Amino acid sequence: MKVTVEQDRCVAAGQCAATAPDVFDQRDEDGVVVLLTDDPAAERADDARHAAAVCPALAIHIEE
Amino acid sequence: MSHAPTGAAPEAQVPEWPMPRAAGCPFDPPPGLRELTAEKPLAKVRIWDGSAHWIVTGHAAQRALLSDPRVSVDERLPGFPHWNEGMAAGLAYRPRSVFNSDAPEHSRYRRIMTGPFTFKRVEALRPTIQKITDDLIDKMLAGPNPADLVEALALPLPTLMISELLGVPYEDHEFFQEYASRGIAHNVSAEESGRNFMALNEYLVRLVEQKAAEPADDALSDIAARVTAGDLTVPEAAMMGTGLLIAGHETSANMIGLATVALLEHPDQLAVLRDTDDPKVVAGAVEELLRYLGIIHGGQRRIAKEDIEIGGELIRAGEGIVVELFSANRDADVFPEPDLLDLHRANARHHNAFGFGIHQCVGQQFARVELQVVYGTLFRRIPTLRLAKSLDEIVFKHDRLAYGVYSLPVTWG
């Protein structure tokens, strides 16, 4: 799995940090997404997929 | 009915929106809307000024439109489906904000507002929210029985929290609750809307100027600092503050009140919350209640900037779009048995209760923590909680943009 994020598109809704906190964080000043790992461990992969699905700005992309 | 494009239907056949919910079904979408959109995820409705617009009810269609850059929130575009006469008349005095700007302008405003609402920052507020919730419940239990749960808990908790977060003096709460509540009625005249807006706006302008002069550790001071830095005008900052203040207490208050009614009417589901101390179960319950309750009803307003084909219809450039978020949460294609309240529902989080696309609720993680604390505390602390009146005596906010209950008489013991 390879995870990428588009910070320009991000609207800081916090859905990814809430859904997959081991994969995504948010910049403290404005909440924009920060990718913690682009290759999450197998047990975190579902959370990452879920985060991509609920991202309102479609700013998370996953290549399987 | 024929399957000709709905847009071509004679104007007289276009039903009026909003539509009433069915008597005795205060938690379900209007049956008339379900009938209208049984075949397709969108149809035409007529709004307060007689104009016809698309109403979108399907989950997939909503997500597609709400994340489509051809769909605009720019209320100044001709043909925009305004909420009411007051909103239409107020165009001239409402500055640009997250509410009426598209990307990329929208991002500039949004990123000034998002800092205090990150997942980590709101999680850090959980102990404070827990303490205030416990204190309010203690106070209610020490007072007269029955009590009004809206007055005792549902309204003060989110009002205290957003006041604290923004740095708005809580002692002014009666003033801003009153104006916030009036401002979101379905039918607001131009004159009344102007008065409401001016009263709240003047209040926020004064606060922003005060915070710019004497900054404190709060979100309004951060916004005021952006005025000082030349990134925002005072009216823009005041608009931001007004939006956060209204959205920050009115919606959560309605979620607390309405969820309590729904849970008391579904004792097996209430037992799920009462009998658990697992934060994951509570978090899942919050998502399901957000899905099931439809606090935001009446439809988010948009306008098409280009022709868009969707759901077997053609939305033409310049046509208005009303996105009824609540209906998507009852879309059987996404949520099996959608009218069933099931706190263990696996995909409840896919609801559109906070909207979708770049305008999705800024304060949603904050709302989630508030609701997790309240739902996770109230029924454990007062296991005998019940309605002090029958369901048909409870008055629901049919006439408000944010649905809920005006008051909620409860008893215990």
Side-chain angles (χ1 to χ4, degrees), chain B residues 63-395:
Chain B
R63 290 202 161 197
L65 289 171
L66 290 171
S67 55
D68 190 324
R70 295 172 296 178
V71 174
S72 172
V73 287
D74 188 350
E75 59 184 358
R76 297 178 198 183
L77 293 175
F80 190 87
H82 296 283
W83 284 103
N84 51 42
E85 188 193 356
M87 288 294 284
L91 276 181
Y93 56 70
R94 264 195 308 282
R96 280 289 192 218
S97 71
V98 283
F99 304 109
N100 58 13
S101 62
D102 299 322
E105 190 183 16
H106 167 265
S107 309
R108 189 171 74 80
Y109 293 119
R110 174 124 179 163
R111 288 187 181 184
I112 293 173
M113 302 165 77
T114 40
F117 298 103
T118 64
F119 179 66
K120 280 184 180 164
R121 298 264 292 267
V122 298
E123 274 298 324
L125 294 172
R126 192 181 286 269
T128 309
I129 298 171
Q130 183 68 58
K131 168 141 196 352
I132 295 175
T133 302
D134 282 322
D135 290 350
L136 289 168
I137 293 173
D138 286 341
K139 200 173 150 199
M140 184 176 89
L141 291 175
N145 180 357
D148 175 9
L149 193 85
V150 171
E151 201 183 311
L153 177 67
L155 199 49
L157 172 71
T159 308
L160 278 159
M161 287 308 303
I162 196 69
S163 302
E164 171 82 20
L165 191 147
L166 286 177
V168 171
Y170 181 71
E171 57 264 29
D172 296 336
H173 71 276
E174 283 182 12
F175 161 78
F176 63 73
Q177 279 168 347
E178 170 67 17
Y179 280 93
S181 160
R182 278 199 230 163
I184 61 165
H186 268 310
N187 298 306
V188 187
S189 72
E191 195 183 320
E192 194 196 345
S193 174
R195 263 201 315 273
N196 291 342
F197 180 85
M198 291 314 285
L200 265 179
N201 186 253
E202 280 168 19
Y203 176 71
L204 262 301
V205 165
R206 277 200 306 278
L207 269 178
V208 166
E209 284 170 345
Q210 188 189 321
K211 302 277 181 189
E214 293 170 56
D217 185 16
D218 53 47
L220 217 47
S221 295
D222 293 348
I223 291 171
R226 302 297 287 265
V227 176
T228 310
D231 298 335
L232 278 181
T233 64
V234 170
E236 285 172 339
M239 187 68 231
M240 230 174 240
T242 307
L244 289 171
L245 184 58
I246 296 178
H249 77 273
E250 177 74 27
T251 45
S252 297
N254 285 316
M255 273 303 296
I256 295 169
L258 196 61
T260 303
V261 184
L263 289 165
L264 292 173
E265 289 296 303
H266 295 82
D268 57 325
Q269 296 301 306
L270 188 147
V272 172
L273 279 167
R274 190 192 58 213
D275 300 340
T276 189
D277 54 9
D278 182 347
K280 280 195 172 153
V281 173
V282 176
V286 166
E287 298 307 319
E288 172 65 352
L289 286 157
L290 285 163
R291 182 195 74 83
Y292 179 76
L293 291 174
I295 293 299
I296 303 302
H297 68 167
Q300 301 306 107
R301 306 303 162 105
R302 299 288 191 271
I303 187 164
K305 289 194 292 188
E306 295 172 31
D307 290 359
I308 300 167
E309 276 182 57
I310 188 146
E313 297 282 6
L314 176 66
I315 301 177
R316 293 191 183 279
E319 289 184 335
I321 306 171
V322 176
V323 184
E324 175 59 335
L325 299 172
F326 180 31
S327 291
N329 295 345
R330 301 297 186 93
D331 185 336
D333 288 346
V334 179
F335 306 107
E337 295 192 80
D339 295 336
L340 200 69
L341 177 65
D342 172 9
L343 300 192
H344 293 300
R345 188 182 290 274
N347 69 345
R349 203 185 170 95
H350 290 266
H351 62 70
N352 286 355
F354 290 118
F356 197 72
I358 63 171
H359 297 279
Q360 195 181 53
C361 178
V362 165
Q364 59 181 290
Q365 305 307 337
F366 186 48
R368 284 190 166 102
V369 176
E370 286 180 337
L371 299 176
Q372 287 165 9
V373 169
V374 173
Y375 300 162
T377 306
L378 180 63
F379 309 105
R380 282 159 59 93
R381 291 224 29 212
I382 320 180
T384 59
L385 191 77
R386 57 195 183 275
L387 295 180
K389 286 185 175 175
S390 66
L391 183 65
D392 55 14
E393 289 175 287
I394 307 283
V395 184

Side-chain angles (χ1 to χ4, degrees), chain B residues 19-39:
Chain B
M19 293 176 185
R21 298 184 189 220
C25 299
F27 307 116
D28 291 338
L33 182 61
R34 288 190 145 164
E35 203 178 308
L36 186 67
T37 54
E39 305 291 325

